[in-house]
Amino acid sequence: MSGGMAGGRTTRSWRLRGPATVAGALRVPGDKSISHRALLLGAMAHGTTEIHGLLQGEDCRATLAALRALGVEVAEQTDGTVQVRGRGPEALREPECVLDAGNSGTTLRLLAGLLAGRPFCSLLTGDESLRRRPMRRIVEPLRVMGATLIGRAQGGFPPLAIQGGALRGIAWSSPVASAQVKSAILLAGLQAAGDTSVTEPVVSRDHTERMLGAFGLVPQRDGTTVTVPGGSRLTATDLAVPGDLSSAAFLLVGAAARGGGEICIQDVGVNPTRTGLLDVLERMGAEVRRERLRLAAGEPVADLVVCGRQLRGVRVGADLIPRLIDEVPALAVAAALADGETVISGAGELRVKEVDRLAAVAEELGRMGVVISPTQDSLRIQGGAKLQGAVVSSRGDHRMAMSLAVAALFAEGETVIRDVACVDTSFPGFARLLAAAAPACAIREETADA
Ligand code: S3P
């Protein structure tokens, strides 16, 4: 998303130069997935849920604004604490306006699940990128449960119109391992008659299941199937949101891919359904340590220490993809700097993220000198790249912008990354943090008329 200015649109760019080492001890903002769920489950629960460390990125602000439009009272304290005054799903009221999820797939899909159970009409839309993302994966199960959903291309794309109502529980087998799909169905299932279960090909991130436990309802798990009972009452709770491993990933790769590099990122979520990148970096030869490992509201949290080495190329197969789905662009940078070839396969879901990430990674890193070839669902990356500074673009994708910034730390000369305002969706303050952790890159933000 580009920031507006009186009289016209502006775009923001970063200018930075390599080589620059990443080092130090730092914290990253709150986990995006956990923040969305804290707001949504807080709104569905009874009582006041107090959330500490909620991500203040645009994606979570979109969820918060939608809940307010549905009549939920949310108080924001000056210290960042957020209180959601839940009165159960029955207290939600028909929104008077279209709910705008902005760039956030999680907002739109999870809200659709919640609203499928409410006996009123809701209209959901998003920005240009979100309006191109597939919705049939949630529309179909929610229709089978009894809700009416209409969207462009027979329910394929937003905007979506939802007339919710009395739902019946289902046993759904999802062809994709997607936490957004699973969570949408579970949020609907909580309001349905009877049990609802979701089976996935591989277990996707399980934050919804863990957080339901904190709200007093422990879902039943059997292999890749999770089940919730309908009509259960959630009880408000206090939650501390850990740092987002997907945000830490950029700095971790920055440290891991250089011999002698070392970084400590404090209070990061290390849920095993999210830590695929850490496993792969270890297999590539980096040292990864989890210090002060503890549990917070059912989520494992640690201080992560990563020491860099000359990395070696690896094979990353389909089974691992759900555990590092958002980290593939950052991993591609590490692979380009490793010895030998890396192949990442079974990653077709990356084609339907904020942008087509397989194409974007291949073309933009290609401009910096990386030899990288995509197929329909894979990336083959030649290691040993001699990265060159270049003019590249995020294409409006936050994770592309930050991955390119990490690549720039290893490049000779200056890199300009266009269209970086999107970073505010998940990691406000990234450039400031990078300036502190890698001062030699002298990152500068520039604004220009579009
Ligand atoms: C998310 C799930 C993942 C991930 C996204 C956040 C979530 O998407 O890519 O950034 O919070 O549930 P999918 O479930 O569609 O793979």
Side-chain angles (χ1 to χ4, degrees):
M1 268 176 276
S2 299
M5 251 186 22
R9 256 168 46 89
T10 62
T11 61
R12 284 156 53 190
S13 301
W14 290 329
R15 191 177 286 274
L16 67 168
R17 62 169 179 264
T21 305
V22 177
L26 46 97
R27 280 194 167 75
V28 293
D31 187 280
K32 181 157 76 67
S33 292
I34 295 177
S35 295
H36 284 298
R37 288 157 174 80
L39 292 167
L40 290 164
L41 294 184
M44 292 178 82
H46 291 264
T48 298
T49 289
E50 194 161 284
I51 311 168
H52 303 271
L54 185 88
L55 173 63
Q56 290 293 340
E58 286 167 358
D59 280 15
C60 298
R61 302 286 324 167
T63 295
L64 196 155
L67 290 175
R68 282 187 171 144
L70 290 159
V72 181
E73 205 187 310
V74 184
E76 299 182 73
Q77 312 298 338
T78 44
D79 68 355
T81 305
V82 172
Q83 287 155 343
V84 183
R85 302 201 211 290
R87 288 181 293 130
E90 317 72 49
L92 299 180
R93 56 152 205 255
E94 186 172 75
E96 286 171 15
C97 54
V98 177
L99 304 176
D100 187 354
N103 191 242
S104 173
T106 310
T107 304
L108 197 142
R109 293 191 178 117
L110 269 59
L111 262 183
L114 168 54
L115 294 172
R118 302 325 314 142
F120 52 67
C121 169
S122 322
L123 305 168
L124 273 67
T125 192
D127 69 5
E128 213 185 320
S129 151
L130 186 53
R131 293 195 306 270
R132 284 196 297 260
R133 296 183 63 187
M135 292 300 146
R136 199 173 322 274
R137 50 183 65 193
I138 56 155
V139 165
E140 273 181 15
L142 297 175
R143 279 179 179 161
V144 175
M145 293 179 85
T148 302
L149 286 93
I150 299 170
R152 287 191 303 119
Q154 275 93 49
F157 300 97
L160 294 181
I162 303 175
Q163 175 62 52
L167 301 180
R168 54 187 167 272
I170 51 167
W172 190 255
S173 188
S174 171
V176 280
S178 161
Q180 293 179 358
V181 171
K182 172 175 63 180
S183 303
I185 299 170
L186 294 180
L187 294 191
L190 291 172
Q191 307 168 72
D195 290 354
T196 292
S197 63
V198 184
T199 303
E200 309 180 87
V202 178
V203 177
S204 62
R205 62 189 67 190
D206 63 357
H207 302 302
T208 302
E209 297 92 304
R210 286 172 185 256
M211 197 179 286
L212 279 170
F215 281 91
L217 187 153
V218 180
Q220 210 185 305
R221 168 144 308 272
D222 179 8
T224 62
T225 301
V226 61
T227 305
V228 292
S232 324
R233 190 183 158 94
L234 303 181
T235 307
T237 185
D238 288 350
L239 297 166
V241 180
D244 196 327
L245 180 56
S246 297
S247 296
F250 307 104
L251 300 152
L252 294 176
V253 165
R258 179 172 275 124
E262 178 167 343
I263 199 159
C264 173
I265 308 191
Q266 292 157 343
D267 301 320
V268 188
V270 287
N271 179 319
T273 59
R274 296 281 298 280
T275 49
L277 176 74
L278 302 182
D279 297 353
V280 174
L281 288 177
E282 276 188 306
R283 269 169 51 209
M284 294 176 87
E287 182 185 336
V288 178
R289 292 199 310 270
R290 292 159 170 82
E291 297 182 349
R292 291 200 315 124
L293 187 60
R294 58 215 180 267
L295 266 186
E299 290 282 350
V301 182
D303 295 350
L304 273 181
V305 178
V306 167
C307 304
R309 304 267 186 275
Q310 175 55 49
L311 302 177
R312 47 182 182 270
V314 285
R315 310 228 145 214
V316 176
D319 275 9
L320 202 53
I321 297 297
R323 296 182 54 230
L324 48 68
I325 184 82
D326 292 337
E327 284 66 73
V328 171
L331 178 59
V333 176
L337 296 161
D339 286 332
E341 186 182 76
T342 292
V343 181
I344 302 172
S345 46
E349 270 295 295
L350 270 85
R351 294 217 179 260
V352 292
K353 292 294 177 188
E354 284 82 334
V355 296
D356 174 346
R357 283 191 178 147
L358 294 186
V361 163
E363 288 162 25
E364 299 300 331
L365 286 182
R367 286 184 220 286
M368 298 180 76
V370 181
V371 178
I372 176 167
S373 39
T375 67
Q376 194 45 41
D377 70 346
S378 75
L379 285 177
R380 185 178 292 273
I381 305 151
Q382 300 302 325
K386 297 272 169 284
L387 293 178
Q388 291 298 327
V391 178
V392 291
S393 170
S394 76
R395 306 176 175 207
D397 179 346
H398 54 136
R399 299 204 199 282
M400 280 301 300
M402 293 183 274
S403 299
L404 291 166
V406 174
L409 303 180
F410 294 88
E412 276 305 319
E414 188 174 77
T415 295
V416 176
I417 307 169
R418 302 249 190 254
D419 202 0
V420 297
C422 50
V423 165
D424 292 348
T425 59
S426 70
F427 199 158
F430 172 78
R432 241 179 299 123
L433 211 67
L434 190 66
C441 79
I443 185 167
R444 273 201 337 263
E445 187 162 311
E446 295 172 353
T447 303
D449 290 340

